[in-house]
Amino acid sequence: MERLTIETTPIDGQKPGTSGLRKKTKVFMQTHYLENFVQAIFDGIGGADGKTLVLGGDGRYFGDRAAQVILRMAAANGAARVIVGQGALMSTPAASNLIRKRGTDGGIILSASHNPGGPDEDFGVKFNGPNGGPASEEVTGRIFEATTKLSAYRILEAQDADLSNIGEQTLGDMIVEVVDPVADYAALMEELFDFDAIRALIDGGFRLCFDAMHAVTGPYAKAILEGKLGASEGSVINAVPKPDFGGGHPDPNPVWAKELVDIMGGVNAPDFGAASDGDGDRNMIMGPGMYVAPSDSLAVLAANADLAPAYVKGLAGVARSMPTSQAVDVVADAKGLDCYETPTGWKFFGNLLDDGRITLCGEESAGTGSDHVREKDGLWAVLLWLNILAVKKQGVVELMQAHWADYGRNFYSRHDFEGIETEKAEALMGDLRARLDDLPGKTVAGRSIEAADEFDYHDPVDGSIAKRQGLRVYLDNGGRIVLRLSGTGTSGATLRVYLEDRSEDPATFDRDVQDALGEVIEAAHQIARIEHHTGRTEPDVRA
Ligand code: VG1
Ligand code: CO
């Protein structure tokens, strides 16, 4: 087998966003596109020589072919071993676990997460470091820099590796180790949680429905929820990963997980509903007739995690991404825990977790996780919820109501305005940025503005600074508006407007969220001049 050195030239725009490089699949399929980026990853981490890497993906279209290219490139770049999930499948949290457990030099995950898949949809590549977490800003910067300087990439001339059978084979001098993508992850979950208690709950008639959304968590949820915990067969729906995720967006929110929402809102609804995204790192939690906002879920988990064996000693601290609601801050305050505020994207939690400052963290975008891996983890969140419900002997609805009674309620919603021309979205942000200093003291939509700023993050562990991570406007009585542009899209711009308002009056706790946020929504539109800049009066998605 010959090592080939293929001449290439830098390709513009290979700058990773919030979570890896995401582009239209057809862009990734262009000549040299994938190869250039993969060579840049190897160059950015100081070469692949002698290294061991993990490789997996969410099963989307082109993932199997991309995996073969990456294996041949890893071999030609001198890697010693690549541990790859059978069928090139592996969820993001399972990859994070394997990187840590096997002490590898990192891993490559082929996923565009919650973005749709298929020849006309999206593809993505992300690199995780030896701690199992998304590459830091610094490493990401080095990878991007390498994309701008490439003159050649290395690839082995060889046949495809056999990824359908578990076991070892060689590709040139490199070992390709095909593993069951579920086994190690399932074993970890069994260590963290009280499976006996959850099994007893389910044996007692507690019913659940898990929607894998035709994505990677299907095999994991089947093995764990049905196989180990005794949920009845069929509790996991849409359980077979498909290259196009059945034509939908594998995004666990009330819009895209409508099948689950209908089941949970119907007669004789199960006691518990959940869904995960394309690559298995997000989660949505539901009770009969109730959607649990991800920010509330984070707060509930922070308040009750010590009921699960893994967290019985209590939490070191907690963290949330800046736009995530402040519900978890209220819990942290009551429990005397440190609470950190980080920019959007899991890579910013890594240092806090590695340094032992936090145990639990989460984002409003349906991501929650802990120090068990260095990624957000959808099934982990589901199992922690089930463990808590089993110990407390409460339903989801009761638990939420009790939580709000104890801590008050932070009404919360994210409004997404999709497919805006990039220039217009940037003009909106620039205009608001320029007016931030004039806002405090003004009254808008009946609410007075207390403060306004742009969020810069100072990492307390390594001192690095991440600038321009979102515009924040604080209103009286705990109201808050945050605006930022998405970093995971593949065409145009998505404006994300995060809306929050706080109430401690139990008479309001059952209000409709959008109604309760009426003033804050109105204030956001006026303050950011959304219609003026974009022509839009209504969002595309209310999450
Ligand atoms: C979005 C979410 C962010 C999340 C990121 C990756 O980023 O807002 O919270 O970490 O997706 O999640 P953005 O830049 O589009 O707002 V996943 O499940 O796509 O790896
Ligand atoms: Co994801």
Side-chain angles (χ1 to χ4, degrees):
M1 281 180 241
E2 207 185 331
R3 285 186 193 212
L4 306 176
T5 300
I6 310 285
E7 279 182 26
T8 187
T9 49
I11 298 173
D12 273 350
Q14 293 198 324
K15 191 178 173 74
T18 312
S19 177
L21 184 68
R22 286 187 200 179
K23 297 286 171 193
K24 288 286 170 208
T25 310
K26 288 215 166 107
V27 172
F28 262 107
M29 291 171 78
Q30 285 166 6
T31 314
H32 300 327
Y33 197 95
L34 171 71
E35 291 85 347
N36 268 25
F37 189 65
V38 171
Q39 186 64 51
I41 291 176
F42 294 151
D43 293 354
I45 61 171
D49 202 31
K51 287 185 174 162
T52 295
L53 298 168
V54 167
L55 175 62
D58 62 9
R60 71 180 55 225
Y61 182 85
F62 187 56
D64 48 357
R65 277 173 283 164
Q68 297 289 351
V69 169
I70 293 169
L71 287 171
R72 288 203 292 274
M73 287 186 65
N77 277 274
R81 176 185 291 262
V82 175
I83 304 166
V84 52
Q86 191 176 18
L89 283 178
M90 197 179 299
S91 78
T92 287
S96 182
N97 176 47
L98 217 52
I99 292 169
R100 296 168 66 77
K101 189 169 177 179
R102 298 286 301 271
T104 75
D105 300 288
I108 294 176
I109 302 168
L110 304 172
S111 169
S113 191
H114 57 287
N115 297 27
D120 297 315
E121 301 293 353
D122 295 350
F123 193 75
V125 177
K126 52 183 177 172
F127 177 75
N128 283 26
N131 75 343
S136 65
E137 286 277 89
E138 196 202 333
V139 173
T140 304
R142 282 208 295 272
I143 293 171
F144 175 57
E145 169 122 7
T147 69
T148 66
K149 292 184 177 154
L150 279 184
S151 57
Y153 61 82
R154 284 180 288 282
I155 189 161
L156 201 68
E157 190 174 48
Q159 296 297 324
D160 281 358
D162 172 13
L163 302 184
S164 57
N165 292 305
I166 288 167
E168 290 191 2
Q169 60 202 286
T170 54
L171 192 61
D173 297 332
M174 184 180 88
I175 295 169
V176 176
E177 178 184 346
V178 179
V179 298
D180 172 356
V182 176
D184 295 275
Y185 178 84
L188 173 65
M189 293 301 118
E190 211 160 347
E191 271 169 37
L192 299 176
F193 301 115
D194 187 345
F195 272 33
D196 289 339
I198 302 173
R199 215 177 285 119
L201 177 75
I202 291 171
D203 282 349
F206 182 96
R207 289 183 304 128
L208 60 90
C209 178
F210 181 94
D211 188 351
M213 304 189 81
H214 308 284
V216 80
T217 47
Y220 294 84
K222 277 251 166 209
I224 296 171
L225 300 175
E226 295 183 10
K228 289 181 185 275
L229 294 170
S232 59
E233 206 181 324
S235 298
V236 181
I237 60 173
N238 302 318
V240 178
K242 291 191 185 156
D244 69 347
F245 307 118
H249 292 215
D251 192 350
N253 65 35
V255 176
W256 287 107
K258 189 166 180 306
E259 188 177 344
L260 176 71
V261 172
D262 288 346
I263 291 170
M264 295 308 294
V267 283
N268 199 22
D271 301 287
F272 182 85
S276 189
D277 71 333
D279 61 332
D281 56 0
R282 296 187 177 203
N283 73 90
M284 175 168 89
I285 303 293
M286 296 194 74
M290 179 186 262
Y291 162 71
V292 178
S295 293
D296 277 342
S297 175
L298 175 63
V300 166
L301 297 184
N304 298 292
D306 55 1
L307 299 177
Y311 312 105
V312 71
K313 295 200 184 107
L315 307 176
V318 294
R320 62 167 169 82
S321 68
M322 183 274 282
T324 303
S325 100
Q326 297 159 98
V328 70
D329 304 36
V330 181
V331 173
D333 199 38
K335 293 191 166 258
L337 297 171
D338 285 340
C339 181
Y340 296 84
E341 187 175 43
T342 57
T344 295
W346 210 261
K347 58 183 162 222
F348 294 102
F349 293 130
N351 279 347
L352 299 172
L353 291 162
D354 285 350
D355 202 46
R357 292 178 184 234
I358 61 167
T359 311
L360 207 78
C361 46
E363 297 192 273
E364 55 68 40
S365 55
T368 17
S370 87
D371 59 359
H372 69 292
V373 289
R374 293 294 180 273
E375 285 277 7
K376 52 191 186 275
D377 189 344
L379 260 171
W380 166 89
V382 168
L383 293 167
L384 180 50
W385 262 92
L386 291 173
N387 198 146
I388 290 167
L389 296 176
V391 175
K392 288 188 89 99
K393 305 200 188 313
Q394 269 181 332
V396 174
V397 177
E398 281 173 275
L399 180 58
M400 280 319 305
Q401 281 165 349
H403 184 88
W404 293 327
D406 286 347
Y407 297 100
R409 180 163 186 189
N410 289 55
F411 288 98
Y412 188 82
S413 181
R414 190 188 75 229
H415 288 192
D416 289 338
F417 299 80
E418 297 173 345
I420 300 174
E421 283 168 48
T422 306
E423 273 175 21
K424 289 184 179 171
E426 271 161 11
L428 181 151
M429 294 295 283
D431 174 27
L432 179 56
R433 180 178 292 123
R435 288 183 287 115
L436 284 176
D437 289 346
D438 302 331
L439 291 176
K442 293 207 164 116
T443 299
V444 182
R447 300 293 290 266
S448 75
I449 301 175
E450 293 190 338
D453 68 0
E454 180 156 38
F455 179 52
D456 290 339
Y457 179 59
H458 297 253
D459 186 311
V461 179
D462 68 10
S464 61
I465 297 174
K467 287 191 173 291
R468 296 206 159 177
Q469 298 295 325
L471 306 176
R472 305 189 282 198
V473 179
Y474 292 93
L475 307 175
D476 53 359
N477 301 319
R480 189 181 67 149
I481 300 161
V482 173
L483 288 98
R484 58 180 284 281
L485 301 182
S486 160
T488 57
T490 57
S491 59
T494 293
L495 170 68
R496 301 202 195 279
V497 182
Y498 306 85
L499 307 144
E500 177 173 4
D501 212 359
R502 169 133 178 105
S503 171
E504 286 173 14
D505 174 6
T508 67
F509 291 164
D510 287 331
R511 281 188 77 182
D512 173 80
V513 173
Q514 301 300 324
D515 282 350
L517 289 170
E519 289 172 0
V520 178
I521 294 169
E522 179 55 34
H525 278 263
Q526 289 188 27
I527 292 169
R529 305 170 70 204
I530 295 174
E531 188 177 1
H532 169 80
H533 285 288
T534 68
R536 308 279 181 90
T537 54
E538 297 288 325
D540 300 279
V541 175
R542 293 180 177 85

